[in-house]
Amino acid sequence: KEVYRQWPGFLDAIEKGYPWVGDPDDADSMENARKVRWAMSMAIVRQQIIDTILGGFSDPVYGALHPQFPPGSPNFNEDWHVEFDPVKAKQWMTEAGYADGFEVDFWSAPDYAFWDPEIADAVGEMWREHLGLDVTVDHSPYASRRPETVEKTMNIPWLHGWGMFPGGSKANFYCAHPGHLGGV
């Protein structure tokens, strides 16, 4: 847990009390942040995004390792599957202390070819509808925020994706140096 303390974005997130970031020195904080992250994931209707925005051309994505371990692959772990469940999501938000939601910025670069920026708009609306979050979707260009990801000062959720050959690895992307943090 000490490596996180080297990342300015982590320290800033703890100081500002972002609900999705837990303090490793506080077990309750970590559990509440976990519930918030799961609730935010459970409030997304993935199939609706696939059907309406992507024209049916996608699979549901449950995390950063999707390209390497998509559902149905031998390496996919069913524990990664996140079912749409707005009732349980709202319950977890309440248990975490956020029954009335909170403000959140959500970044999705409009100029990055691996996703449609409308996905972030749809996710933001789903968070508003199902969790009562006050979402601001930031569509600033990738280049304008990339320094934050490399310097590890980024501390907001962001829609991220990449292209790679099947079986390829993105391990170096997540290394503390010189990689950058995945937003997921």
Side-chain angles (χ1 to χ4, degrees), residues 24-61:
D25 293 329
D26 180 342
D28 289 337
S29 170
M30 291 294 284
E31 178 62 9
N32 288 336
R34 184 190 69 80
K35 286 181 177 180
V36 166
R37 290 190 305 271
W38 270 93
M40 292 172 78
S41 188
M42 289 188 294
I44 299 170
V45 189
R46 289 165 175 79
Q47 195 59 51
Q48 182 180 15
I49 291 171
I50 292 167
D51 294 343
T52 59
I53 296 171
L54 301 174
F57 294 103
S58 183
D59 294 315
V61 175

Side-chain angles (χ1 to χ4, degrees), residues 107-169:
W107 175 52
S108 175
D111 57 347
Y112 204 62
F114 295 118
W115 64 81
D116 187 319
E118 289 183 36
I119 294 171
D121 297 323
V123 168
E125 286 302 317
M126 291 171 187
W127 287 344
R128 281 183 193 95
E129 177 183 350
H130 302 296
L131 302 176
L133 302 188
D134 181 5
V135 182
T136 300
V137 179
D138 175 359
H139 285 297
S140 57
Y142 179 76
S144 71
R145 295 206 77 165
R146 178 170 167 69
E148 293 173 79
T149 69
V150 174
E151 295 165 355
K152 305 197 183 7
T153 56
M154 177 77 77
N155 58 22
I156 65 169
W158 47 296
L159 181 64
H160 188 64
W162 61 76
M164 68 174 69
F165 296 107
S169 174

Side-chain angles (χ1 to χ4, degrees), residues 9-116:
F10 172 76
L11 296 175
D12 190 45
I14 293 296
E15 182 179 304
K16 291 180 178 177
Y18 289 141
W20 56 89
V21 180
D23 183 344
D25 293 329
D26 180 342
D28 289 337
S29 170
M30 291 294 284
E31 178 62 9
N32 288 336
R34 184 190 69 80
K35 286 181 177 180
V36 166
R37 290 190 305 271
W38 270 93
M40 292 172 78
S41 188
M42 289 188 294
I44 299 170
V45 189
R46 289 165 175 79
Q47 195 59 51
Q48 182 180 15
I49 291 171
I50 292 167
D51 294 343
T52 59
I53 296 171
L54 301 174
F57 294 103
S58 183
D59 294 315
V61 175
Y62 301 104
L65 295 177
H66 178 81
Q68 290 149 311
F69 310 119
S73 79
N75 295 318
F76 182 76
N77 182 333
E78 270 305 315
D79 290 341
W80 301 337
H81 180 87
V82 181
E83 196 68 41
F84 172 65
D85 189 342
V87 173
K88 186 173 183 181
K90 192 65 174 168
Q91 174 190 337
W92 280 17
M93 291 288 285
T94 299
E95 290 175 12
Y98 299 99
D100 296 326
F102 50 79
E103 292 182 14
V104 58
D105 290 333
F106 183 42
W107 175 52
S108 175
D111 57 347
Y112 204 62
F114 295 118
W115 64 81
D116 187 319

